[in-house]
Amino acid sequence: MNSHEQYTALFTDHRALIENGSCAALNAQRQAAFDTLCRVGLATKREERYKYTSANEAFAPDFGLNLKRIAPTVNPYEAYKCNVPNLSTSLFFVVNDVPCEAPECSRALLPEGVIVDSFTKVAQTHPELLERFYNRAACTERDFKQGADGVTQLNTMLAQDGLLVYLPDGVELKSPVQLGNVVFMSVRRVLIVAGKGARGAVLFCDHAEGSNNYLTTQVVEVFADEDAQLDLYSIEETTPQNTRFSTIYVEQQSRSRVSYDGVTLTNGLTRNRMDVRLRGTDAASELYGAVIADGKQQVDNNILVEHLAPRCTSDMLYKYVLNGESRGAFAGKVYVAPGAQQTASQQTNANLCASTGARAFSQPMLEIYADDVKCNHGSTIGKLDEQALFYMRQRGIPEAEARLLLQHAFINEVLRHVQIPLLHERLAHLVDLRFRGELGKCKGCKMCK
């Protein structure tokens, strides 16, 4: 049996339960998602965008689902103090795909008109937002005729709730919105909408608890209207037993800027897919990623940026430090549509294999149908610079410390793009702890014992 069949059977058997725990906007999309998933299934390595990670194999185990939407037994705001020290944020939690009721202090920093709430509540207060934006970016077929993504369809078919972050026109967030995701088994959905001229930052923090095998599917849809500016940050600190498939769809209009910084510190199997469509002139996309992996960990980043309008820019930088028998994969594609003149795009992937057992796979790609463009891509796979290591040891630095410094300097090129100083400091500290083999624990978090 193909692995998707257990999920389509589950949906068929429990459809009433799923729909009763959800809202009209989500329920309206389920049948189409079910039909598409039955048609396309979950991708194997024979498909180009899943060349390094088979979704069919990853989803084969029976992980179980929280169909009855059982709420967590503890208050996450008391149990999981996973805030970055001294960084004032509006903190919201999603535990086992159930958005938790936020205390008033989490909303105190939000400007008037900003909405951060569950889909089921938004369906009662602002149903027009879900009707206009939900599943619009995720369900659109690729402009150059790529097929529908089976993992996204599975998520759409089963998701019972989600979290909306809505910034009205002209609003600027003074403090980031922080989304804490505590993973057991999750089908998570997030919708971020930034109106004209709106500005803000959203921080995703992924954690997993215990030693059981967990599966997380996450679909994030991002809409940036004209002149909007969004900074998105993602930090993954899960366990070797965790399987995580995250897909982010970004739609950008004229003069908008969306920046994404993703850092994988600890994990099991992680596949991050990101599809960005630059639909308006002078839009800018900035995508940065850092991966630190050892043991048998695997991280696969698959990026697509579509330049569909003139004078748009995109910058892509992903760096991996791989140890043990870990596997790192990167596939990045920049597509320039006919008529998208004066496109400027830079794509770089650099991999550091710090052990003989580590493996890196890199596939940068360009597909260009315009003649007035500046598009570059590059890829490197190598070991630590022996000359630099020798130079540092000659000056009295122990070999182990010299290796740590060189690896940290390698990753720092990605971290320097983090625009929030306190978050940058925290990430630099966590990276240092990670290279030293220590788990970075958030102060006061009962989960990190």
Side-chain angles (χ1 to χ4, degrees), residues 177-193:
V177 170
Q178 183 177 358
L179 306 181
N181 300 310
V182 183
V183 176
F184 300 89
M185 167 59 203
S186 177
V187 180
R188 187 164 62 239
R189 198 73 178 228
V190 179
L191 176 57
I192 302 173
V193 179

Side-chain angles (χ1 to χ4, degrees), residues 138-202:
C139 74
T140 304
E141 296 288 329
R142 304 285 75 77
D143 284 346
F144 52 92
K145 299 182 180 178
Q146 287 196 93
D149 177 53
V151 176
T152 300
Q153 302 307 313
L154 185 150
N155 181 285
T156 304
M157 181 181 73
L158 295 176
Q160 293 174 273
D161 206 347
L163 202 66
L164 169 69
V165 180
Y166 174 71
L167 310 182
D169 293 355
V171 167
E172 179 176 358
L173 288 179
K174 299 298 183 183
S175 300
V177 170
Q178 183 177 358
L179 306 181
N181 300 310
V182 183
V183 176
F184 300 89
M185 167 59 203
S186 177
V187 180
R188 187 164 62 239
R189 198 73 178 228
V190 179
L191 176 57
I192 302 173
V193 179
K196 294 180 180 179
R199 299 187 178 191
V202 179

Side-chain angles (χ1 to χ4, degrees), residues 307-308 335-341 369-370:
H307 287 257
L308 306 176
Y335 170 81
V336 181
Q341 304 293 356
Y369 297 98

Side-chain angles (χ1 to χ4, degrees), residues 94-108:
V94 178
V95 179
N96 200 14
D97 78 11
V98 178
C100 300
E101 185 66 32
E104 189 58 35
C105 60
S106 291
R107 302 184 183 278

Side-chain angles (χ1 to χ4, degrees), residues 429-442:
H429 175 64
L430 290 175
V431 167
D432 183 65
L433 292 177
R434 180 67 176 85
F435 281 135
R436 295 179 186 278
E438 304 173 20
L439 175 64
K441 302 180 180 64
C442 299

Side-chain angles (χ1 to χ4, degrees), residues 266-295:
T266 55
N267 74 303
L269 167 61
T270 295
R271 186 180 191 275
N272 298 316
R273 168 174 169 165
M274 194 157 192
D275 287 14
V276 179
R277 302 188 193 100
L278 304 175
R279 294 194 177 278
T281 57
D282 299 298
S285 170
E286 301 168 357
L287 309 177
Y288 310 111
V291 173
I292 303 171
D294 56 19

